[in-house]
């Protein structure tokens, strides 16, 4: 089993939101990647964006630009 570490996880209500986040992060060269997660955790779509804690301010900016609420960002062991 691999070691888990504290990461930022952004959850999405729709797959379209997850794809918009991925595209916006790619355009801004922000860290992170989409990961599959249980639907109960991901607010419904089964995907979440995972990145290091040092990326918090950049991710907040990306989320704001595409209309994703800040309360959808969590710190979790991944």
């Amino acid at each position: 089993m691999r070691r888990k570490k504290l990461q930022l996880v952004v959850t999405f209500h729709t797959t379209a939101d997850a794809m918009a986040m991925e595209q916006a992060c790619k355009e801004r060269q922000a860290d992170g990647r989409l990961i599959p997660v249980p639907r109960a955790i991901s607010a419904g779509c089964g995907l979440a964006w995972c990145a290091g804690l040092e990326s918090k301010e950049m991710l907040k900016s990306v989320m704001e630009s595409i209309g994703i609420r800040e309360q959808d960002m969590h710190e979790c062991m991944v």
Side-chain angles (χ1 to χ4, degrees):
M1 180 181 256
R2 70 179 173 83
R3 276 197 133 142
K4 295 182 180 182
K5 62 181 182 175
L6 192 60
Q7 297 277 317
L8 291 174
V9 176
V10 180
T11 59
F12 308 101
H13 293 279
T14 66
T15 303
D17 286 344
M19 298 297 112
M21 180 74 169
E22 182 177 44
Q23 182 64 33
C25 284
K26 187 181 289 185
E27 289 170 359
R28 295 179 180 168
Q29 299 174 344
D31 290 334
R33 63 188 172 95
L34 282 175
I35 59 170
V37 293
R39 290 185 187 279
I41 295 170
S42 69
C45 86
L47 294 170
W49 188 261
C50 182
L53 294 176
E54 67 280 354
S55 301
K56 189 170 192 166
E57 293 306 314
M58 172 63 92
L59 291 180
K60 280 184 185 180
S61 172
V62 171
M63 291 168 66
E64 184 179 301
S65 74
I66 59 174
I68 296 175
R69 303 171 312 186
E70 188 176 329
Q71 61 258 36
D72 291 332
M73 182 186 291
H74 314 279
E75 291 183 10
C76 300
M77 295 296 286
V78 178

